[in-house]
Amino acid sequence: MKNEPFVIERTYNVPAEKVWQAITDKNKMKQWYFDLKEFKPEVGFEFTFIGGSEEKQYVHLCKITEVIPGKKLTHTWQYDGYPGESFVTFELFDEGDKTKLRLTHAGLETFPQEKDFAKESFSQGWTYIIGKSLAEYLEKN
């Protein structure tokens, strides 16, 4: 298995500030992402959420590792009770009245080689979240 990260890019017809708010405000995030008890775009901030497949749910353990306000947000992504550590990075590129978002999920090869942790599972999940859920949220709000 190649140790290449999963990368997805999408361009939205909204300013970068609106996308930044969508990926950093917990009240906005719960409308398109996960319902987080707390979230602060601050290095060192830790947060958890539950997600997974219909068959099994997992507790996700995350910690913010890098913040460049309005441009970049990186956090760790681990599973409670499972080995492995990955990193999710949201990068925003201001294109005038549009914004390109690049999401990179690196370190997937560190997880157990099970179906729920396969790169294809992450590909399907992120394609839905970034390509459909976030896009629809930004169009409506």
Side-chain angles (χ1 to χ4, degrees):
M1 178 176 165
K2 292 182 183 174
N3 295 347
E4 295 175 2
F6 173 76
V7 179
I8 184 171
E9 290 185 354
R10 291 292 186 270
T11 299
Y12 307 110
N13 293 319
V14 297
E17 179 57 31
K18 188 169 182 180
V19 180
W20 181 255
Q21 288 298 316
I23 67 171
T24 60
D25 179 314
K26 74 178 183 81
N27 295 319
K28 292 177 172 56
M29 292 167 79
K30 75 178 177 182
Q31 296 179 54
W32 66 272
Y33 192 45
F34 292 98
D35 188 1
L36 307 177
K37 274 187 186 155
E38 275 303 317
F39 185 87
K40 293 179 186 166
E42 299 171 359
V43 172
F45 183 81
E46 297 182 16
F47 63 99
T48 65
F49 62 93
I50 297 174
S53 64
E54 290 181 14
E55 297 86 32
K56 184 156 187 188
Q57 296 289 297
Y58 300 91
V59 176
H60 296 62
L61 308 172
C62 305
K63 182 176 183 177
I64 304 287
T65 59
E66 183 180 14
V67 178
I68 301 172
K71 296 191 180 304
K72 187 174 184 182
L73 176 75
T74 302
H75 65 77
T76 61
W77 175 296
Q78 296 176 285
Y79 295 98
D80 191 26
Y82 293 87
E85 179 179 50
S86 64
F87 294 86
V88 173
T89 300
F90 293 86
E91 293 176 278
L92 304 183
F93 302 90
D94 189 340
E95 298 182 343
D97 60 348
K98 296 181 180 188
T99 305
K100 180 170 77 173
L101 180 144
R102 177 186 302 135
L103 180 133
T104 304
H105 196 155
L108 299 177
E109 72 280 355
T110 68
F111 295 130
Q113 297 304 301
E114 299 173 16
K115 176 183 168 242
D116 284 349
F117 303 128
K119 189 171 183 178
E120 294 74 34
S121 294
F122 289 98
S123 174
Q124 290 174 357
W126 284 123
T127 298
Y128 176 81
I129 289 168
I130 299 302
K132 183 169 173 45
S133 188
L134 178 57
E136 289 176 357
Y137 168 79
L138 291 168
E139 286 173 14
K140 288 187 298 189
N141 294 288

